[in-house]
Amino acid sequence: LGLIALAIIIAISKSGHISLKEISILLLEIGAYFLLSYLLGSPLIRKLLRFAGRIDVPETLTAVAIALTLIFGYLAEEVKIAAITGAYLAGLIMSKTPEAQRVRDKSYTIAFSIFVPAFLVGIGASTNILALSQSGVFALLLFGVALLTKPVGCGVGAMITKRFSFEEALKIGIGMIPRMEVSLVVANTALAEKIFNEAIFTASITMILLTTMVTPILLKWAFSRRPRTEKSKEKD
Protein backbone atom coordinates (compact mmCIF):
# COMPACT_ATOMS: atom_id res chain seq x y z
CA LEU A 1 0.00 0.00 0.00
CA GLY A 2 2.87 2.34 0.79
CA LEU A 3 4.50 1.65 -2.57
CA ILE A 4 1.21 2.22 -4.39
CA ALA A 5 0.81 5.52 -2.53
CA LEU A 6 4.36 6.45 -3.60
CA ALA A 7 3.51 5.66 -7.24
CA ILE A 8 0.43 7.91 -7.06
CA ILE A 9 2.40 10.77 -5.47
CA ILE A 10 5.14 10.48 -8.13
CA ALA A 11 2.50 10.59 -10.87
CA ILE A 12 0.90 13.68 -9.31
CA SER A 13 4.33 15.31 -8.96
CA LYS A 14 5.20 14.70 -12.62
CA SER A 15 1.85 15.95 -13.93
CA GLY A 16 1.84 18.97 -11.59
CA HIS A 17 -1.83 18.58 -10.68
CA ILE A 18 -4.28 16.16 -9.11
CA SER A 19 -6.64 14.54 -11.58
CA LEU A 20 -9.14 11.90 -10.52
CA LYS A 21 -9.08 10.52 -14.07
CA GLU A 22 -5.28 10.16 -14.10
CA ILE A 23 -5.22 8.57 -10.63
CA SER A 24 -7.95 6.13 -11.69
CA ILE A 25 -5.98 5.18 -14.81
CA LEU A 26 -2.82 4.78 -12.72
CA LEU A 27 -4.61 2.50 -10.25
CA LEU A 28 -5.93 0.42 -13.16
CA GLU A 29 -2.40 0.18 -14.58
CA ILE A 30 -1.04 -0.91 -11.19
CA GLY A 31 -3.81 -3.50 -10.83
CA ALA A 32 -3.21 -4.79 -14.36
CA TYR A 33 0.54 -4.94 -13.73
CA PHE A 34 0.13 -7.02 -10.57
CA LEU A 35 -2.47 -9.30 -12.15
CA LEU A 36 -0.55 -9.93 -15.37
CA SER A 37 2.77 -10.27 -13.54
CA TYR A 38 1.30 -12.91 -11.28
CA LEU A 39 -0.69 -14.81 -13.92
CA LEU A 40 1.98 -14.70 -16.65
CA GLY A 41 5.13 -14.07 -14.67
CA SER A 42 4.61 -16.75 -12.03
CA PRO A 43 4.72 -19.77 -14.38
CA LEU A 44 7.45 -18.13 -16.47
CA ILE A 45 9.70 -17.52 -13.44
CA ARG A 46 9.14 -21.06 -12.20
CA LYS A 47 10.16 -22.53 -15.56
CA LEU A 48 13.19 -20.28 -16.00
CA LEU A 49 14.50 -20.94 -12.48
CA ARG A 50 13.97 -24.68 -12.91
CA PHE A 51 15.84 -24.59 -16.22
CA ALA A 52 18.65 -22.40 -14.80
CA GLY A 53 19.05 -24.73 -11.83
CA ARG A 54 19.84 -27.61 -14.18
CA ILE A 55 22.57 -25.78 -16.12
CA ASP A 56 25.99 -26.92 -14.97
CA VAL A 57 27.59 -23.46 -15.03
CA PRO A 58 28.51 -21.64 -11.78
CA GLU A 59 25.87 -19.24 -10.45
CA THR A 60 23.54 -19.49 -13.46
CA LEU A 61 20.53 -19.66 -11.15
CA THR A 62 21.62 -16.52 -9.29
CA ALA A 63 22.25 -14.61 -12.53
CA VAL A 64 18.82 -15.55 -13.92
CA ALA A 65 17.11 -14.58 -10.65
CA ILE A 66 18.79 -11.15 -10.64
CA ALA A 67 17.98 -10.63 -14.32
CA LEU A 68 14.30 -11.43 -13.69
CA THR A 69 14.22 -9.02 -10.75
CA LEU A 70 15.69 -6.23 -12.90
CA ILE A 71 13.21 -6.96 -15.71
CA PHE A 72 10.27 -6.79 -13.31
CA GLY A 73 11.62 -3.51 -11.93
CA TYR A 74 12.01 -2.08 -15.42
CA LEU A 75 8.47 -3.09 -16.42
CA ALA A 76 7.14 -1.50 -13.23
CA GLU A 77 8.87 1.77 -14.14
CA GLU A 78 7.32 1.58 -17.62
CA VAL A 79 3.81 1.63 -16.11
CA LYS A 80 4.79 4.50 -13.75
CA ILE A 81 5.25 2.30 -10.67
CA ALA A 82 8.41 2.48 -8.56
CA ALA A 83 10.95 -0.17 -9.60
CA ILE A 84 11.05 -1.49 -6.04
CA THR A 85 7.43 -2.63 -6.47
CA GLY A 86 8.32 -4.79 -9.46
CA ALA A 87 11.42 -6.18 -7.75
CA TYR A 88 9.36 -6.96 -4.64
CA LEU A 89 6.74 -8.78 -6.72
CA ALA A 90 9.47 -10.83 -8.46
CA GLY A 91 10.84 -11.80 -5.06
CA LEU A 92 7.39 -12.86 -3.86
CA ILE A 93 6.94 -15.12 -6.88
CA MET A 94 10.45 -16.59 -6.49
CA SER A 95 9.82 -17.30 -2.80
CA LYS A 96 7.24 -19.91 -3.79
CA THR A 97 9.61 -21.88 -6.04
CA PRO A 98 11.75 -24.91 -5.04
CA GLU A 99 14.87 -22.86 -5.84
CA ALA A 100 13.92 -20.08 -3.38
CA GLN A 101 16.44 -21.02 -0.67
CA ARG A 102 19.37 -21.16 -3.10
CA VAL A 103 18.39 -17.82 -4.66
CA ARG A 104 17.95 -16.25 -1.21
CA ASP A 105 21.33 -17.38 0.08
CA LYS A 106 23.24 -16.16 -2.98
CA SER A 107 21.28 -12.90 -3.18
CA TYR A 108 22.08 -12.11 0.45
CA THR A 109 25.78 -12.57 -0.23
CA ILE A 110 25.74 -10.25 -3.24
CA ALA A 111 23.41 -7.67 -1.69
CA PHE A 112 25.17 -7.30 1.66
CA SER A 113 28.66 -7.29 0.16
CA ILE A 114 28.02 -4.76 -2.64
CA PHE A 115 24.60 -3.19 -3.10
CA VAL A 116 23.46 -2.57 0.48
CA PRO A 117 26.71 -0.83 1.57
CA ALA A 118 26.73 1.26 -1.63
CA PHE A 119 23.09 2.20 -1.10
CA LEU A 120 23.67 3.18 2.54
CA VAL A 121 26.70 5.28 1.58
CA GLY A 122 24.50 7.06 -0.95
CA ILE A 123 21.83 7.68 1.70
CA GLY A 124 24.46 9.07 4.07
CA ALA A 125 25.90 11.33 1.40
CA SER A 126 22.43 12.69 0.59
CA THR A 127 21.61 13.45 4.23
CA ASN A 128 22.28 16.99 5.41
CA ILE A 129 22.26 17.07 9.22
CA LEU A 130 22.17 20.88 9.16
CA ALA A 131 18.74 20.64 7.49
CA LEU A 132 17.35 19.52 10.86
CA SER A 133 17.46 23.18 11.87
CA GLN A 134 14.52 23.60 9.49
CA SER A 135 12.76 20.29 10.06
CA GLY A 136 13.77 19.24 13.59
CA VAL A 137 10.27 19.66 15.04
CA PHE A 138 8.76 17.81 12.08
CA ALA A 139 11.31 14.99 12.55
CA LEU A 140 10.26 14.59 16.20
CA LEU A 141 6.56 14.61 15.27
CA LEU A 142 7.23 12.06 12.54
CA PHE A 143 9.11 9.89 15.02
CA GLY A 144 6.20 10.14 17.49
CA VAL A 145 3.69 9.08 14.83
CA ALA A 146 5.95 6.20 13.73
CA LEU A 147 6.36 5.14 17.35
CA LEU A 148 2.62 4.96 18.04
CA THR A 149 1.12 3.73 14.78
CA LYS A 150 2.81 0.32 14.64
CA PRO A 151 1.90 -0.83 18.18
CA VAL A 152 -1.65 0.42 17.62
CA GLY A 153 -2.08 -0.82 14.04
CA CYS A 154 -0.18 -4.11 14.24
CA GLY A 155 -1.00 -4.76 17.90
CA VAL A 156 -4.73 -4.24 17.46
CA GLY A 157 -4.58 -6.24 14.22
CA ALA A 158 -2.98 -9.14 16.09
CA MET A 159 -5.63 -8.99 18.83
CA ILE A 160 -8.47 -8.94 16.29
CA THR A 161 -7.35 -12.37 15.05
CA LYS A 162 -8.09 -13.65 18.59
CA ARG A 163 -4.92 -15.75 18.43
CA PHE A 164 -2.76 -13.45 20.53
CA SER A 165 -3.04 -12.12 24.06
CA PHE A 166 -2.59 -8.43 24.86
CA GLU A 167 1.04 -9.00 25.87
CA GLU A 168 1.81 -10.94 22.69
CA ALA A 169 0.09 -8.31 20.51
CA LEU A 170 2.10 -5.59 22.27
CA LYS A 171 5.34 -7.41 21.47
CA ILE A 172 4.29 -7.79 17.83
CA GLY A 173 3.41 -4.10 17.57
CA ILE A 174 6.67 -2.95 19.15
CA GLY A 175 8.70 -5.34 17.01
CA MET A 176 7.19 -3.73 13.90
CA ILE A 177 8.20 -0.17 14.90
CA PRO A 178 11.51 0.11 12.98
CA ARG A 179 11.18 1.73 9.58
CA MET A 180 14.13 0.27 7.74
CA GLU A 181 14.97 -0.90 4.20
CA VAL A 182 11.73 -0.08 2.39
CA SER A 183 11.42 3.29 4.14
CA LEU A 184 14.98 4.16 3.08
CA VAL A 185 14.21 3.21 -0.53
CA VAL A 186 10.95 5.20 -0.49
CA ALA A 187 12.66 8.27 1.01
CA ASN A 188 15.51 8.03 -1.50
CA THR A 189 13.05 7.65 -4.40
CA ALA A 190 11.06 10.65 -3.16
CA LEU A 191 14.26 12.73 -3.00
CA ALA A 192 15.30 11.65 -6.50
CA GLU A 193 11.84 12.53 -7.86
CA LYS A 194 12.06 15.92 -6.05
CA ILE A 195 8.99 15.13 -3.95
CA PHE A 196 11.16 15.54 -0.83
CA ASN A 197 13.53 18.41 -0.29
CA GLU A 198 16.68 18.03 1.82
CA ALA A 199 14.90 19.00 5.04
CA ILE A 200 12.07 16.46 4.68
CA PHE A 201 14.50 13.76 3.52
CA THR A 202 16.76 14.35 6.55
CA ALA A 203 13.72 14.30 8.87
CA SER A 204 12.69 10.95 7.37
CA ILE A 205 16.19 9.49 7.82
CA THR A 206 16.22 10.77 11.42
CA MET A 207 12.89 9.05 12.08
CA ILE A 208 14.21 5.78 10.61
CA LEU A 209 17.33 5.92 12.80
CA LEU A 210 15.39 6.76 15.96
CA THR A 211 12.80 4.00 15.48
CA THR A 212 15.60 1.50 14.86
CA MET A 213 17.45 2.57 18.02
CA VAL A 214 14.47 2.72 20.37
CA THR A 215 12.89 -0.62 19.41
CA PRO A 216 15.37 -2.91 21.28
CA ILE A 217 14.79 -0.90 24.47
CA LEU A 218 11.01 -1.15 24.13
CA LEU A 219 11.19 -4.85 23.25
CA LYS A 220 13.26 -5.55 26.36
CA TRP A 221 10.61 -3.77 28.42
CA ALA A 222 7.77 -5.65 26.68
CA PHE A 223 9.39 -9.06 27.24
CA SER A 224 10.10 -8.28 30.89
CA ARG A 225 6.42 -7.54 31.58
CA ARG A 226 4.48 -10.18 33.44
CA PRO A 227 1.24 -11.30 31.77
CA ARG A 228 -1.99 -9.94 33.19
CA THR A 229 -3.08 -13.42 34.22
CA GLU A 230 -0.08 -13.75 36.54
CA LYS A 231 -0.77 -10.35 38.09
CA SER A 232 -4.44 -11.20 38.68
CA LYS A 233 -3.46 -14.51 40.31
CA GLU A 234 -1.13 -12.67 42.68
CA LYS A 235 -3.96 -10.32 43.68
CA ASP A 236 -6.29 -13.29 44.30
Side-chain angles (χ1 to χ4, degrees):
L1 290 174
L3 295 175
I4 290 171
L6 176 66
I8 293 171
I9 293 170
I10 289 173
I12 292 172
S13 176
K14 286 181 176 178
S15 64
H17 63 278
I18 299 174
S19 167
L20 184 60
K21 180 181 178 181
E22 288 181 5
I23 292 176
S24 299
I25 292 172
L26 178 62
L27 289 174
L28 285 172
E29 288 178 345
I30 292 172
Y33 173 80
F34 274 98
L35 185 63
L36 290 173
S37 294
Y38 184 78
L39 293 178
L40 301 178
S42 186
L44 178 64
I45 284 179
R46 288 176 180 273
K47 290 179 180 178
L48 286 174
L49 290 183
R50 192 183 307 120
F51 176 72
R54 294 173 181 171
I55 298 176
D56 190 20
V57 176
E59 309 305 342
T60 301
L61 178 63
T62 308
V64 170
I66 292 174
L68 288 169
T69 304
L70 294 174
I71 290 169
F72 268 65
Y74 169 76
L75 292 175
E77 287 281 353
E78 286 297 299
V79 293
K80 300 177 183 178
I81 307 173
I84 183 180
T85 309
Y88 180 70
L89 181 59
L92 284 178
I93 296 172
M94 289 183 202
S95 70
K96 300 184 183 299
T97 65
E99 295 79 16
Q101 188 62 49
R102 290 171 60 192
V103 171
R104 188 182 300 114
D105 291 343
K106 296 295 184 179
S107 298
Y108 277 11
T109 302
I110 296 171
F112 284 98
S113 60
I114 302 174
F115 296 113
V116 172
F119 173 70
L120 293 177
V121 167
I123 291 289
S126 302
T127 304
N128 181 7
I129 300 299
L130 296 177
L132 283 176
S133 61
Q134 304 172 33
S135 60
V137 174
F138 175 70
L140 291 175
L141 288 172
L142 191 61
F143 168 62
V145 171
L147 196 64
L148 292 173
T149 49
K150 284 293 188 178
V152 173
C154 298
V156 171
M159 290 184 70
I160 288 174
T161 64
K162 298 181 180 180
R163 294 169 54 191
F164 300 95
S165 66
F166 172 80
E167 285 75 17
E168 291 170 332
L170 180 65
K171 293 170 186 175
I172 291 171
I174 291 173
M176 292 294 291
I177 287 175
R179 307 312 205 262
M180 299 177 76
E181 300 92 341
V182 174
S183 296
L184 285 172
V185 173
V186 169
N188 195 54
T189 303
L191 181 67
E193 295 289 342
K194 298 182 180 179
I195 297 168
F196 281 3
N197 57 26
E198 269 193 353
I200 300 300
F201 177 76
T202 302
S204 302
I205 299 303
T206 302
M207 177 272 293
I208 292 168
L209 289 173
L210 290 176
T211 55
T212 304
M213 291 167 62
V214 78
T215 299
I217 300 169
L218 293 176
L219 276 177
K220 185 176 180 180
W221 168 79
F223 276 87
S224 66
R225 281 168 51 90
R226 287 179 298 169
R228 288 181 174 181
T229 53
E230 290 183 12
K231 292 180 180 179
S232 59
K233 286 179 181 178
E234 286 182 3
K235 289 180 180 180
D236 294 339

